[in-house]
């Protein structure tokens, strides 16, 4: 039960808002990180903590693609397949990820490491194609480097597990010539792009 | 609000400022098509169907005056894009065009989009024939679609949203009318949208799903066939149905409904608009709970007992036997050896003739409409005496109105009041909800007053004291007595003492008293929990109404929530041992139901006639009495437990099989009409009473002398008699010349009631047929086109509101207080019989609601549970001075300690076995297995 395991954190979150219901998103993230995904029971638990009709909390979960209402892997890989990303190879990237992982969209690898999803615009068209892994942004990902990306993520599985799937502590990365590069939050915006062939 | 002048399609007219463009155009007779907009709910502008061209007078930037063109007309600046009419309020000089090419292009476009994935399955859709989507497409839509039929999205269907309502996702246009109805009107937020974009869908995640007593209304307001009821699905095409106007008798609201019949079969029940009663809504009990009419277990022929089994008989045989047996008992032992009980769901005509039969033909006053169970309580006179005045219309009330709901759970006792009271609050009324436990209505209250268990009388007295302190006594304009005694009683305690005893802060009491005093209109509604506290409380509430000046005028007074659909009619028309029709008290009283069983067991009452009640189901005393009685007639719809013990069983026609009038909680008399032929050989109750009365009249010397003597000396009778509440009775001086038993139709009975019962004067069938102003719905310009499904116009009369008895000037109100009931029992807990809409009502048989019937349970508070180490589901036993009862425990966080709640009326859990009166003290133990 969330209220038992995270009581102090829940109280802090709720205390930030004038009315309890405003805490619905942070509490859902908390529940998602705790349980790995939002089961109907977890959603009802949040509803009960916030004294909301369960239907309203289910509505929130259903609306946002970043709430997972079924079990997902350690890394949820979301690839933008909207127009700009498509122009620079999103479909090829998706095909490569599928082939490498041996799964199709909305599926999770047998080892529970990766879940693959297509999403619409991630608002980083200038660095397309864009991949989002547990909300870590990874820019300039091309099909031929799919495996490299996956290896990097697999290597950081423990980190992902510790941070949770919700991306509450997500960071930005660039898939540069030397591999994946972390972009600090306060770094100035860089026009630098990954090498293209 | 001031009026503004607008021009719609070239026609200028005035509408109130603040009206939205759709409603404003409608006032001018111009229809703007809508899907998501509904006049009963705030606009959201989701469907885009109401797009219109809107222009405003151009202002001179310097002078802020409208610019004029060469002709002296104001220059109109059209808004650059079309506007949604439902979300645009009108303003002075606004120009609205609804028929320009641009608007028509938009309307066609919106409809084409809405239809992109519509399955076009009208031939198998329940909504077909009364479907706004069909209608609007015909009127405003494109003849053809450019979308390929094969590209339509398909979904699994139907999706059950609950037991009663099914969703067809392909038909849904996502207008959110159903979601908004549940959120805003019904206050059950059980519907919502899941996913988004193309996958958007309605879901219900409450437990159980779609847990609302008003769910059926969503199918009425659904503008497409997306929501259908499991009750009507695939049953009939709507154009085959003929709507027969009826009145719901399942609770005291008296909702107007239509029995939609195909030939002689009931296909569905729909609300019929009545602004003063149910608006355009109907609760699920009324909508789905009428399947009993056609239930296979209905009695179809008279039955006569032969030894231990029944044999079918002709009416002639059965009625002759009844008349002979009653005549024999009458002549051998007198009228007092005969007793009659009639259900508070029978019509006024039935009830009136029942008491005539007993008083005039059998010389018996042993009459009642109660069950004779320990918690019957006293007859409720105040709800008639201080009833809301003639001309009351809850639909018109808003700001300036104070409503106090005291000891009632309207959602369960009279569900539709929940919608009406919420609407009142939304229009600005103040709602105070006083109760000892949480009820759903409390969530809508301006202020909730949770009095301590057993603290209700202290709260009522504290309120009366506050009013008296403020000199409210001078406001009383009615004939009254006992004011000094009342003053003395309430002043004996300080406000602080009373507030402490009530468990309510003194400031809250002052606030409520102030709101009642200052209200232009004041309503006090009380229910089962208040009534169980006894007359001391009810009369104090009456004093509260009187002292705050809220009686004897329209829209003010008391509303008593009594069981059944026509308890008020039974009280008005004298189906009680102590008063004739019109609350005329009798010097010689008969036995009330509660004393009946012991009297029958001891042989004082030899013959019993029970119409529509089933005391044997739950009362061991009644079973004993029925066994001991010499002769028992039961008039029923079904073979009830009581009928099984009868000597003669007479099949009665149901509410849908006969004409009749019913008096609701606000004392509005409404007419219900026959929708089908009586089941089998069953007959209307009034006819059965009349047939037996005729036989008796032919058979025996009438016991008239006594009755006549009583009527001939009204003054003497008045002197000695006191009502149950202590008011002096004033007997009608009209000498009762007993009418003959030759009514051909119920309207002749109603005409006689109108003539002989003072407050029913003028209530004839002819007068009842008047539709007056049925509300603000009605059918207006092309309204059916987009409000089809809810536009069930009331062409059959909206009923007549009776004047409150006090305003007739024939009664004196006694304010002298009663002492609080003394509780000798030391047991720690107070037992509360919780009235439930889906309790043990036998009329719910055959309906889909049977699955939702309450489960037997003993509901206890969290703290009592912890004290006794009781978990949910543990078997517990409650023990009173007279018996014990065990069931599974349900721990309820909202229940105050000291209270035990048990669903009332469940056949498997007979509360009457342990009740010692309206209030029973019990102790609770955990059963160790």
């Amino acid at each position: 039960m969330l209220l038992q395991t995270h009581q102090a954190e829940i109280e802090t979150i709720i205390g930030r808002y004038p009315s309890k219901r405003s805490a619905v998103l942070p509490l859902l993230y908390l529940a998602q990180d705790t349980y790995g995904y939002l089961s109907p029971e977890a959603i009802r638990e949040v509803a009960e903590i916030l004294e909301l009709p369960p239907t309203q909390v289910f509505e929130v979960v259903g609306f946002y693609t970043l709430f997972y209402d079924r079990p997902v892997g350690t890394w949820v890989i979301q690839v933008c397949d909207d127009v700009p990303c498509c122009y620079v190879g999103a479909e090829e990237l998706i095909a490569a990820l599928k082939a490498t992982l041996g799964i199709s969209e909305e599926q999770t690898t047998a080892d529970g490491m990766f879940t693959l999803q297509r999403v619409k615009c991630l608002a980083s068209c200038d660095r397309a194609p864009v991949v989002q892994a547990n909300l870590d942004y990874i820019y300039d990902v091309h099909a031929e480097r799919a495996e490299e990306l996956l290896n990097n993520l697999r290597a950081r599985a423990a980190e992902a597990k510790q941070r949770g799937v919700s991306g509450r502590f997500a960071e930005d990365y660039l898939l540069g010539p030397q591999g994946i590069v972390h972009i600090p939050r306060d770094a100035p915006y860089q026009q630098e792009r990954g090498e293209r062939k | 609000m001031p009026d503004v002048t607008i021009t719609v399609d070239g026609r200028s007219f005035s509408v109130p400022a603040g009206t939205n463009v759709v409603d404003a155009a409608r006032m001018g007779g111009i229809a703007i098509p809508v899907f998501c907009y509904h006049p009963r709910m705030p606009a959201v502008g989701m469907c885009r169907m109401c797009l219109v061209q809107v222009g405003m007078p151009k202002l001179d930037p310097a002078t802020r005056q409208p610019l004029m063109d060469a002709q002296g007309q104001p220059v109109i600046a059209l808004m650059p894009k079309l506007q949604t009419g439902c979300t645009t309020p009108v303003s002075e000089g606004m120009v609205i065009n609804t028929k320009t090419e641009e608007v028509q292009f938009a309307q066609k476009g919106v409809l084409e989009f809405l239809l992109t994935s519509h399955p076009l399955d009208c031939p198998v859709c329940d909504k077909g024939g009364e479907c706004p989507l069909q209608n609007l497409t015909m009127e405003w839509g494109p003849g053809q679609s450019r979308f390929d039929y094969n590209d339509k999205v398909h979904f699994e269907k139907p999706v059950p949203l609950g037991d009663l309502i099914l969703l067809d996702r392909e038909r849904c246009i996502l207008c959110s009318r159903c979601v908004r109805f549940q959120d805003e009107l019904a206050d059950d937020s059980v519907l919502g949208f899941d996913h988004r974009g193309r996958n958007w869908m309605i879901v219900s995640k409450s437990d159980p799903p779609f847990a609302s007593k008003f769910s059926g209304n969503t199918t009425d307001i659904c503008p497409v066939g997306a929501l259908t009821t499991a009750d009507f699905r695939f049953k009939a095409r709507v154009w085959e149905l003929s709507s027969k106007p009826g009145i719901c008798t399942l609770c005291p609201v008296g909702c107007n409904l239509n029995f939609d019949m195909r030939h002689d079969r009931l296909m569905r029940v729909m609300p019929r608009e009545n602004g003063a009663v149910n608006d355009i809504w109907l609760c699920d009990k009324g909508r789905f709970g009428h399947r009993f009419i056609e239930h296979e277990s209905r009695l179809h022929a008279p039955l006569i007992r032969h030894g231990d089994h029944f044999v079918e008989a002709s009416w002639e045989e059965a009625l002759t036997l009844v008349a002979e047996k009653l005549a024999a008992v009458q002549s051998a032992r007198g009228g007092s050896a005969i007793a009659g009980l009639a259900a508070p769901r029978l019509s006024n005509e039935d009830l009136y003739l029942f008491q005539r039969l007993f008083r005039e033909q059998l010389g018996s006053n042993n009459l009642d409409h109660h069950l004779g169970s320990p918690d019957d309580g006293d007859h409720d006179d105040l709800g008639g005496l201080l009833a809301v005045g003639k001309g009351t219309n809850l639909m018109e009330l808003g700001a300036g109105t104070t409503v106090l709901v005291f000891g009632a759970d309207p959602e369960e006792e009279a569900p539709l009041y929940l919608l009406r009271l919420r609407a009142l609050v939304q229009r600005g009324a103040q709602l105070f909800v006083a109760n000892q436990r949480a009820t759903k209505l409390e969530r809508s209250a301006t202020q909730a007053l949770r009095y301590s268990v057993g603290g209700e009388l202290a709260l009522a007295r504290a309120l009366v004291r506050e009013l008296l302190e403020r000199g409210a006594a001078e406001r009383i304009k009615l004939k009254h007595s006992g004011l000094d005694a009342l003053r003395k009683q309430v002043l004996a305690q300080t406000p602080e003492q009373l507030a402490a005893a009530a468990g309510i802060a003194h400031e809250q009491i002052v606030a409520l008293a102030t709101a009642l005093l200052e209200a232009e209109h004041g309503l006090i509604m009380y229910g089962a929990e208040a009534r169980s506290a006894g007359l001391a409380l009810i009369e104090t509430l009456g004093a509260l109404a009187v002292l705050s000046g809220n009686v004897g005028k329209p829209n003010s007074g008391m509303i008593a929530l009594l069981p059944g659909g026509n308890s008020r009619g039974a009280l008005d028309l004298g189906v009680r041992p102590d008063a004739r029709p019109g609350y005329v008290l009798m010097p010689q009283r008969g036995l009330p139901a509660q004393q009946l069983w012991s009297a029958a067991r001891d042989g004082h009452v030899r013959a019993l006639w029970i119409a529509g009640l089933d005391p044997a189901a739950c009362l061991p005393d009644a079973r004993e009495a029925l066994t001991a009685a010499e002769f028992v007639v039961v008039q029923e719809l079904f073979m009830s437990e009581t009928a099984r013990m009868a000597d003669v069983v007479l099949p009665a026609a149901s509410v849908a099989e006969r004409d009749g009038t019913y008096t609701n909680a606000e004392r509005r008399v409404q007419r219900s009409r026959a929708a089908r032929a009586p089941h089998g050989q069953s007959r209307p109750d009034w006819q059965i009473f009349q047939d037996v009365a005729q036989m008796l009249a032919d058979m025996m010397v009438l016991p008239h002398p006594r009755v006549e003597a009583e009527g001939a000396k009204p003054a003497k009778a008045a002197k000695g008699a006191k009502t149950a509440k202590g008011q002096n009775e004033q007997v009608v001086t009209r000498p009762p010349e007993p009418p003959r038993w030759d009514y051909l139709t119920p309207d002749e009975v109603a005409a006689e009631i109108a003539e002989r019962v003072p407050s029913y004067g003028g209530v004839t069938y002819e007068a009842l047929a008047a539709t007056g102003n049925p509300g603000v719905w009605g059918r207006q310009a092309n309204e059916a086109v987009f409000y089809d499904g809810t536009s069930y116009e009331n062409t059959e009369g909206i009923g007549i509101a009776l004047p409150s008895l006090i305003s007739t000037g024939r009664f004196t109100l006694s304010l002298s207080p009663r002492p609080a009931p003394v509780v000798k029992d030391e047991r720690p807990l107070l037992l509360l019989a919780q009235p439930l809409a889906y309790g043990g009502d036998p009329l719910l048989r055959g309906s889909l609601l049977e699955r939702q019937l309450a489960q037997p349970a003993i509901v206890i508070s969290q703290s009592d549970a912890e004290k006794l180490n009781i978990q949910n589901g543990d078997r517990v036993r409650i023990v009173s001075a007279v018996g014990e009862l065990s069931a599974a425990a349900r721990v309820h966080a909202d229940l105050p300690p000291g209270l035990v709640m048990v669903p009332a009326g469940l056949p498997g859990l007979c509360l009457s076995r342990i009740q010692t009166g309206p209030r029973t003290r019990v102790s609770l133990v955990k059963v160790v297995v």
Side-chain angles (χ1 to χ4, degrees):
Chain A
M1 296 296 285
L2 277 184
L3 209 48
Q4 274 84 57
T5 53
H6 294 74
Q7 188 168 6
E9 196 175 348
I10 290 172
E11 276 165 14
T12 315
I13 293 172
I14 292 176
R16 291 207 296 258
Y17 305 97
S19 83
K20 265 187 163 186
R21 61 180 295 132
S22 309
V24 67
L25 292 180
L27 276 205
L28 282 171
Y29 280 128
L30 180 69
Q32 182 160 279
D33 280 343
T34 309
Y35 298 118
Y37 74 105
L38 289 169
S39 63
E41 295 73 30
I43 299 173
R44 282 179 199 281
E45 215 183 315
V46 171
E48 198 174 313
I49 294 171
L50 299 176
E51 293 164 16
L52 284 173
T55 308
Q56 290 185 358
V57 184
F58 275 91
E59 281 185 281
V60 173
V61 174
F63 182 82
Y64 291 108
T65 50
L66 294 178
F67 288 129
Y68 313 121
D69 59 4
R70 66 198 70 179
V72 289
T74 307
W75 287 104
V76 179
I77 303 177
Q78 297 180 323
V79 189
C80 170
D81 66 352
D82 226 333
V83 179
C85 285
C86 268
Y87 273 128
V88 290
E91 285 303 328
E92 291 79 359
L93 172 62
I94 293 169
L97 286 168
K98 281 161 75 174
T100 315
L101 293 172
I103 55 171
S104 40
E105 295 92 335
E106 296 299 330
Q107 289 182 342
T108 303
T109 51
D111 60 359
M113 184 58 68
F114 297 109
T115 299
L116 182 63
Q117 288 181 339
R118 281 172 186 265
V119 291
K120 292 297 165 203
C121 190
L122 293 174
S124 284
C125 311
D126 60 322
R127 291 169 170 203
V130 183
V131 166
Q132 195 173 242
N134 290 6
L135 265 72
D136 285 355
Y137 265 47
I138 305 152
Y139 305 113
D140 301 323
V141 189
H142 290 274
E144 58 272 26
R145 302 184 66 176
E147 207 160 337
E148 187 188 340
L149 168 72
L150 292 174
N151 287 336
N152 176 283
L153 290 176
R154 198 174 274 120
R156 293 195 290 128
E159 185 194 336
K161 277 199 177 116
Q162 197 222 327
R163 281 180 5 195
V165 289
S166 281
R168 287 190 292 161
F169 314 102
E171 301 286 340
D172 282 11
Y173 294 88
L174 174 74
L175 201 51
Q178 269 76 50
I180 204 154
V181 184
H182 179 241
I183 308 173
R185 275 287 153 91
D186 48 4
Y189 177 74
Q190 291 178 359
Q191 278 292 335
E192 187 189 333
R193 298 175 58 96
E195 210 177 305
R196 292 195 57 184
K197 289 181 184 170
Chain B
M1 281 222 204
D3 281 3
V4 295
T5 304
I6 56 168
T7 307
V8 185
D9 294 344
R11 288 208 1 238
S12 294
F13 51 91
S14 292
V15 296
T19 315
N20 67 52
V21 166
V22 170
D23 283 346
R26 191 170 137 216
M27 290 172 192
I30 293 158
I32 296 173
V34 294
F35 282 115
C36 70
Y37 176 61
H38 194 284
R40 292 291 183 273
M41 296 183 279
V44 287
M46 287 173 85
C47 74
R48 318 311 285 177
M49 191 62 219
C50 61
L51 288 172
V52 287
Q53 202 171 41
V54 177
M56 300 289 289
K58 217 174 202 167
L59 296 183
D60 186 317
T63 62
R64 304 303 296 164
Q65 290 305 307
L67 284 172
M68 296 296 170
D69 62 10
Q71 281 78 45
Q73 294 296 310
V75 181
I76 299 299
L78 287 179
M79 292 189 188
K81 284 183 176 178
L82 299 180
Q83 302 294 309
T84 46
C86 68
T87 54
T88 310
V90 292
S91 60
E92 184 59 40
M94 187 180 267
V95 171
I96 297 148
N97 295 318
T98 75
K99 295 192 170 60
T100 62
E101 217 169 284
E102 192 188 356
V103 172
Q104 285 176 356
F105 180 77
Q107 289 169 335
K108 282 198 166 66
V110 169
L111 269 165
E112 193 178 7
F113 260 122
L114 288 176
L115 290 167
T116 47
S117 225
H118 189 81
L120 302 176
D121 59 348
C122 306
V124 294
C125 176
D126 292 326
K127 200 78 174 184
E130 53 175 19
C131 174
L133 184 59
Q134 278 184 329
N135 297 343
L136 266 58
T137 306
M138 289 298 288
E139 188 93 25
W140 283 279
Q144 277 193 321
S145 174
R146 287 168 292 171
F147 292 91
D148 189 15
Y149 187 83
N150 295 317
D151 283 347
K152 284 187 186 288
V153 180
H154 291 291
F155 294 111
E156 193 187 326
K157 63 184 193 176
V159 183
L161 290 181
D163 270 353
L164 302 168
I165 310 294
L166 299 146
L167 167 69
D168 185 317
R169 289 182 64 193
E170 294 174 13
R171 294 179 192 152
C172 182
I173 60 163
L174 304 162
C175 70
S176 85
R177 272 189 185 178
C178 54
V179 178
R180 288 178 287 140
F181 171 84
Q182 288 301 137
D183 286 353
E184 285 154 27
L185 300 192
D187 192 26
D188 290 316
S189 293
V190 296
L191 291 186
F193 283 114
D194 203 1
H195 306 303
R196 56 174 164 169
R198 203 54 158 162
N199 291 318
W200 230 28
M201 67 180 287
I202 304 287
V203 288
S204 180
K205 296 290 186 180
S206 60
D207 182 25
F210 213 155
S212 173
K213 295 205 162 53
F214 306 98
S215 68
N217 294 304
T218 60
T219 65
D220 292 350
I221 57 174
C222 179
V224 296
L227 297 183
T228 52
T229 69
D231 188 58
F232 178 62
R233 195 174 154 79
F234 300 146
K235 273 228 178 103
R237 309 314 324 250
V238 295
W239 54 86
E240 305 169 322
L241 304 177
S242 74
S243 296
K244 307 288 185 181
I247 297 295
C248 181
T249 56
L250 300 175
C251 91
V253 176
C255 291
N256 293 207
L257 49 77
N258 276 328
F259 293 111
D260 277 359
M261 311 294 294
R262 187 169 63 193
H263 311 300
D264 221 21
R265 303 280 295 172
L266 174 66
M267 292 292 127
R268 64 175 182 179
V269 174
M270 293 291 274
R272 184 161 53 97
E273 190 212 2
N274 189 339
V277 180
N278 53 308
D279 196 2
I280 56 171
W281 314 117
L282 193 59
C283 79
D284 286 355
K285 191 174 182 185
R287 186 185 299 263
F288 303 120
H290 278 94
R291 291 287 160 202
F292 71 90
I293 289 164
E294 294 184 339
H295 199 263
E296 54 191 11
S297 66
R298 281 281 302 275
L299 294 168
H300 60 88
L303 302 170
I304 294 178
R305 174 174 294 282
H306 287 252
D308 57 0
H309 64 282
F310 286 110
V311 176
E312 277 190 22
S314 70
W315 273 103
E316 182 69 24
E317 271 177 275
L319 294 178
T320 310
L321 180 64
V322 171
E324 281 173 3
K325 289 280 191 185
L326 293 180
V329 174
Q330 211 280 334
S331 60
R333 294 168 175 272
S336 63
I338 307 173
L341 299 182
R345 65 174 158 81
L346 301 190
S347 78
N348 288 340
E349 292 76 6
D350 303 334
L351 295 164
Y352 175 76
L353 289 192
F354 190 62
Q355 64 86 30
R356 263 202 69 200
L357 166 69
F358 269 75
R359 296 211 161 99
E360 295 170 18
Q361 234 54 50
L362 297 168
S364 167
N365 281 324
N366 301 333
L367 278 170
D368 213 336
H369 60 280
H370 283 171
L371 198 61
S373 110
D375 68 343
D376 273 356
D378 300 287
H379 286 128
D380 179 90
D381 292 328
L382 272 189
L385 192 68
L386 302 179
V388 288
K390 194 173 176 65
T392 294
N393 185 351
L394 296 192
M395 187 79 162
E396 289 166 356
L397 297 184
T401 305
T402 297
V403 186
L404 168 62
V405 177
F406 203 109
D409 188 357
E411 193 202 12
E412 301 289 351
E413 295 178 67
L416 219 96
Y417 273 124
L418 187 99
L419 297 189
R420 309 309 311 279
L421 292 176
R422 277 181 58 77
L424 275 174
V425 176
Q426 276 164 6
R427 288 193 296 266
Q430 292 200 67
L431 173 66
F432 292 82
V433 176
N435 218 330
Q436 59 193 345
R437 64 185 173 97
T439 58
K440 194 179 125 184
L441 184 68
E442 200 182 76
R443 301 205 298 252
S444 314
T446 325
Q447 205 180 100
L449 298 96
R450 209 68 89 70
Y451 51 75
S452 54
V453 175
E456 55 271 269
L457 190 56
L459 172 59
R461 283 182 179 163
L463 288 163
V464 166
R465 191 185 198 285
E466 179 67 23
L467 291 182
L468 283 173
E469 292 266 280
R470 296 210 208 166
E474 285 148 35
R475 287 172 157 235
I476 312 180
K477 294 190 184 68
L478 311 159
K479 283 194 278 180
H480 63 277
S481 64
L483 182 61
D484 292 335
L486 179 70
R487 195 190 300 270
K488 199 173 153 208
Q489 186 202 52
V490 296
L491 291 181
Q493 279 173 290
T494 65
E496 290 71 31
Q497 282 172 329
L498 286 168
I504 305 269
H506 181 59
E507 300 73 54
Q508 277 192 300
I509 293 170
V510 174
L512 171 52
T514 309
L516 280 170
L517 264 180
E518 288 173 357
E520 197 180 328
H521 305 293
L523 295 165
I524 298 182
M525 181 182 280
Y526 57 98
E529 289 182 49
R531 279 186 287 113
S532 76
L535 283 176
L537 173 68
I538 304 300
E539 288 176 17
T540 312
L541 292 178
L544 193 60
V546 172
L547 288 169
S548 56
N550 291 312
V551 290
K553 55 181 190 183
N555 298 320
S556 291
M558 304 188 64
I559 299 176
L561 304 181
L562 307 175
N566 202 21
S567 272
R568 185 50 62 195
L571 289 163
D572 283 358
L573 297 171
V575 180
R576 50 193 289 179
D578 54 350
R580 295 172 163 284
Y583 300 85
V584 178
L585 288 192
M586 325 211 27
Q588 268 190 309
R589 297 195 193 162
L591 293 171
Q594 232 171 29
Q595 293 166 26
L596 195 58
W597 309 128
S598 58
R601 191 191 53 216
D602 300 342
H604 303 305
V605 167
R606 309 294 301 172
L608 288 158
W609 189 327
I610 298 171
L613 286 169
D614 191 8
C618 236
L619 295 171
D621 286 355
R623 294 190 74 89
E624 220 177 296
L626 291 168
T627 316
E630 200 174 304
F631 185 67
V632 178
V633 193
V634 172
Q635 189 168 316
E636 250 300 355
L637 301 170
F638 304 105
M639 183 51 86
S640 62
E641 284 305 308
T642 310
R644 275 180 227 287
M645 304 184 69
D647 296 291
V648 177
V649 179
L650 304 173
S654 71
V655 57
E657 296 159 352
R658 33 80 49 80
D659 280 26
T661 57
Y662 302 87
T663 307
N664 79 356
E666 292 159 53
R667 290 189 89 230
R668 174 177 290 268
V669 184
Q670 306 187 95
R671 182 178 169 193
S672 178
R673 308 205 186 193
R676 68 192 289 258
H679 179 81
Q681 299 175 40
S682 64
R683 289 184 181 179
D685 299 87
W686 66 270
Q687 224 172 55
I688 301 173
F689 300 141
Q690 151 155 306
D691 289 346
V692 172
Q694 258 169 3
M695 288 182 179
L696 284 169
D698 293 344
M699 203 177 281
M700 58 199 244
V701 185
L702 303 187
H704 265 308
R706 193 182 63 76
V707 174
E708 271 168 9
E710 194 185 290
K713 293 178 226 150
K716 202 171 179 184
K719 211 173 166 189
K722 289 275 254 172
T723 62
K725 335 180 314 313
Q727 103 230 355
N728 279 319
E729 163 214 352
Q730 314 229 323
V731 167
V732 211
T733 43
R734 195 194 308 277
E737 179 196 324
R740 300 219 308 270
W741 291 94
D742 56 358
Y743 314 97
L744 289 174
T745 52
D747 71 324
E748 295 182 6
V749 186
E752 188 183 308
I753 297 174
E755 196 190 312
R756 300 179 79 90
V757 183
S759 61
Y760 278 69
V763 185
T764 61
Y765 276 22
E766 202 180 1
L768 284 166
T771 47
N773 174 13
V776 296
W777 195 246
R779 263 180 209 248
Q780 300 179 31
N782 286 327
E783 192 149 86
V785 174
F786 38 90
Y787 300 127
D788 228 350
T790 44
S791 60
Y792 283 80
E793 190 187 9
N794 196 333
T795 57
E796 305 293 338
I798 54 162
I800 296 175
L802 302 179
S804 65
L805 294 171
I806 199 77
S807 62
T808 61
R810 296 184 304 110
F811 293 86
T812 305
L813 180 77
S814 163
L815 293 171
S816 53
R818 250 168 232 276
V822 184
V823 185
K824 289 192 204 108
D825 206 326
E826 295 295 314
R827 285 162 220 275
L829 302 166
L830 179 67
L831 174 66
L832 176 68
Q834 186 192 16
L836 289 174
Y838 305 154
D841 194 337
L843 296 186
L844 290 182
R845 79 176 65 188
S847 77
L848 292 168
L849 301 175
E850 273 188 317
R851 285 184 236 163
Q852 300 188 16
L853 291 187
Q855 293 303 310
I858 292 173
V859 188
I860 57 173
S861 66
Q862 191 84 50
S863 71
D864 285 333
E866 278 163 19
K867 226 183 289 172
L868 295 162
N869 189 25
I870 293 169
Q871 309 287 324
N872 247 336
D874 282 353
R875 191 128 191 110
V876 292
R877 183 162 57 218
I878 44 177
V879 186
S880 79
V882 295
E884 55 178 63
L885 194 75
S886 71
R890 208 167 64 224
V891 181
H892 205 303
D894 270 345
L895 205 66
L899 206 58
V900 180
M901 201 158 68
V902 178
L906 293 189
L909 201 64
C910 283
L911 272 179
S912 46
R913 253 183 238 155
I914 62 164
Q915 282 168 328
T916 55
R919 291 246 161 138
T920 305
R921 308 288 309 181
V922 295
S923 51
L924 178 77
V925 283
K926 188 170 166 179
V927 181
V928 184
V929 194

